[in-house]
Amino acid sequence: MMQLKPHKNVLRITAAAAAAAVFAAGFSGSAAAKPNPERQKSETVYAVLSNDGAYTGATVVNCFYTDGEIVDYGEYASVENLSGPDAPVIDGDKITWPAGLGGKDGFYYQGETQKALPVSFEIAYSLNGRTARPEEITGRTGELKIDITMRNNTGTGETDELTGREIMTPFAVQISFSLDGAMYTVRDIPETASVVKAGSGYTVAYSAFPLPESTFSLMLFGTNMALEPISIVAIPKALPGLDTFGDYIDIDALTSGADDMLAGAEDMKSGANELLNGLKEMKNAAKQTQSGLKSLASGASSLENGADALYTNIKALETSADSFYAGMSAFASSFASFDTGMGTLEANAAATAKTISDLSALAAGVDGGMGQMCAGLEGLAASNKTLAENAAALAASDPAAAPLAAGLNAQQDAIMNMTSSAGSLKSSSAQLGAGLVQFSAGFTGDFAAGVSQLRAASASLYASCLQLLDGAYGIKSACGKLRGAAGTLSGGADDVAEGASEAAAQAPQLIEALDRLIDGMWRLKDGISDLDEDGLRPLKDDFDGMQAYLNALSEKAESYRSFMDGRNNASVQFILKTKGF
């Protein structure tokens, strides 16, 4: 035979199990508990149910603690004084007992009735998976399943307006079993039930509020089975819901919290609007940057053309020009690096402009020196010409002076050749100076101004990004990297043109990414609105509706003052048991 392990809830002693044990112990008493001081009496309803839960009648024990005349209501088949010999006066459903019967020991009387119980029970058994009657189970061995269905019969069709639930008098029902540990092993019970292992036996307890119905199933493995009576206790009691947990739950705080959630949703919608506006500003800044990058590419192309024209004549400018850093890195997540690069580019452009200006000044100095040299050669030519003419006149009278005249004439020719060459050199020098001046103006006006414009756009975009990042849930937008290298003035200009063009080509991707992010923010905003309208507000309505429903049930439980007659003012309890087998 397979060895079965006890159910995992065995040995887990709970308040529900202890309460069930107390209720079960109270079933054996013949008198009711002392009534609630706020009520006139207590009613304890005792009934023995068939093993299938069928009800045929009950004994109602009424208890009073009063010295005055006792008036009670209820239709009984028979009435018996449990405290003495006195007899009542019965007038229809009105029962009157003489004064002086009560006191500290209380006055008890009981009546028999077949009035239907407010809670009914159906009990079904199965043995080894097949439906069985109790007499078919006695003495057998196998797997026994017991299903108990509880129904609340106090509904009148009245429903709660907000929740649509039927309003009825709530009853707390406790069911308990006493099982012989040598006969039974508990195999399975609901998580809400408990098992107490006491000595060689088990006590199984289950609590429920059938509204309108609740089912309890117990799985056992038994040997030579018999079953002691099942004990059931029921009392009218408000649900352990929001209204009965006042010591543990701050209802006002819950209501306030629901309101705060709704207000928070409004704040989220407002924040989403602000974030959308920020993203739009960022998109505009990206477009401005794209325009600045195009200006930089155009300026770099102009610089490249000017540098190529000067490359063969001014190698000193080529070697003195520093390469400058124009790479773009981490466009959305590292605008600071981009801004620093723009600052370096701006500084290098200024230095280059200074170098060109210095070269222009040097060229102007060379041009001035060439002018002085040309003037000196012209003066020398005039002086030599005078000497040659004087030598020719002397040679005419003195043949010995003829060689001197010939030498001076030859020297005159050489001086004239030098003067002509100096004039050509002077013209080249002037052209060089004019070219440098023109390039300096173009460099400063186009490229340097473009760099400054891009630097300003970068700073503006960086500031906008910082402002957006502070309020956009840490959103970081990674952008494409724009890189370019600057070497010598001729080669570096080409790299700048390529880098700026590449950056301008990637800018639309950034703008497209921002468009997707803006679209996502629109969807987020719509989602927040849906949460507000379809989630939080219905949740608050459900909360308010459940609170009202629980309040209505509490009122029903409070107003249940008698099983026998609503004119009585009693505390009521039902103590039931099955016959057992």
Side-chain angles (χ1 to χ4, degrees), residues 185-456:
T185 299
V186 178
R187 186 166 184 178
D188 190 27
I189 61 173
E191 290 294 333
T192 53
S194 301
V195 177
V196 176
K197 184 73 165 63
S200 62
Y202 299 95
T203 296
V204 180
Y206 175 73
S207 302
F209 279 87
L211 287 170
E213 185 176 292
S214 179
T215 299
F216 166 66
S217 296
L218 173 66
M219 185 72 74
L220 306 171
F221 189 86
T223 303
N224 192 23
M225 288 183 285
L227 188 65
E228 294 185 18
I230 301 171
S231 296
I232 302 172
V233 177
I235 58 174
K237 183 176 180 61
L239 262 67
L242 299 178
D243 57 339
T244 61
F245 283 118
D247 292 338
Y248 308 100
I249 299 176
D250 188 343
I251 303 301
D252 292 336
L254 286 176
T255 303
S256 176
D259 292 334
D260 290 344
M261 289 174 66
L262 290 172
E266 293 297 327
D267 291 341
M268 289 173 67
K269 287 192 287 187
S270 177
N273 283 329
E274 293 180 2
L275 186 56
L276 275 172
N277 293 332
L279 289 171
K280 290 176 182 178
E281 292 178 6
M282 186 175 180
K283 179 181 176 181
N284 292 333
K287 290 182 177 180
Q288 294 176 7
T289 300
Q290 182 185 23
S291 176
L293 289 170
K294 290 180 179 179
S295 298
L296 174 61
S298 176
S301 296
S302 299
L303 175 62
E304 180 185 3
N305 294 335
D308 289 341
L310 291 175
Y311 181 75
T312 57
N313 295 316
I314 313 176
K315 287 186 177 181
L317 177 62
E318 181 183 21
T319 57
S320 64
D322 290 331
S323 60
F324 57 93
Y325 179 76
M328 304 295 179
S329 65
F331 191 72
S333 62
S334 187
F335 281 113
S337 297
F338 177 77
D339 188 60
T340 301
M342 289 299 99
T344 301
L345 179 60
E346 186 176 32
N348 287 342
T352 301
K354 178 64 169 57
T355 300
I356 295 173
S357 176
D358 292 343
L359 288 175
S360 297
L362 179 60
V366 171
D367 186 54
M370 292 300 298
Q372 292 177 359
M373 184 179 72
C374 288
L377 287 174
E378 288 176 357
L380 180 61
S383 298
N384 190 78
K385 181 180 180 180
T386 301
L387 289 175
E389 289 175 351
N390 291 335
L394 181 60
S397 60
D398 186 359
L404 176 61
L408 289 172
N409 286 330
Q411 180 174 297
Q412 183 67 21
D413 292 338
I415 291 172
M416 293 304 295
N417 288 335
M418 289 175 62
T419 301
S420 176
S421 296
S424 298
L425 186 59
K426 174 68 169 59
S427 176
S428 296
S429 174
Q431 292 177 359
L432 176 61
L436 285 171
V437 170
Q438 180 181 2
F439 175 72
S440 177
F443 182 87
T444 302
D446 294 335
F447 177 72
V451 169
S452 296
Q453 180 183 1
L454 180 60
R455 176 67 190 283

Side-chain angles (χ1 to χ4, degrees), residues 162-163 258-259 261-262 265 527-547:
L162 289 177
T163 64
D259 292 334
M261 289 174 66
L262 290 172
I528 294 171
S529 296
D530 292 341
L531 174 64
D532 183 18
E533 297 298 329
D534 300 333
L536 294 178
R537 294 186 186 278
L539 175 64
K540 185 176 186 301
D541 292 341
D542 288 345
F543 176 81
D544 294 340
M546 183 57 69
Q547 179 66 72

Side-chain angles (χ1 to χ4, degrees), residues 41 43 45-49 54-60 73-78 93 111-120 153-154 171 560-568 572 574 576:
K41 71 164 188 170
E43 284 183 8
V45 182
Y46 297 94
V48 176
L49 307 178
Y55 165 76
T56 58
T59 298
V60 181
Y73 296 91
E75 293 185 359
Y76 294 100
S78 64
D93 60 1
E112 302 297 324
T113 181
Q114 292 184 329
K115 183 177 182 178
L117 298 175
V119 182
S120 60
N153 302 316
T154 63
F171 280 83
Y560 193 89
R561 301 297 180 98
S562 175
F563 167 62
M564 293 304 298
D565 194 292
R567 289 171 289 181
N568 298 329
V572 184
F574 297 83
L576 318 173

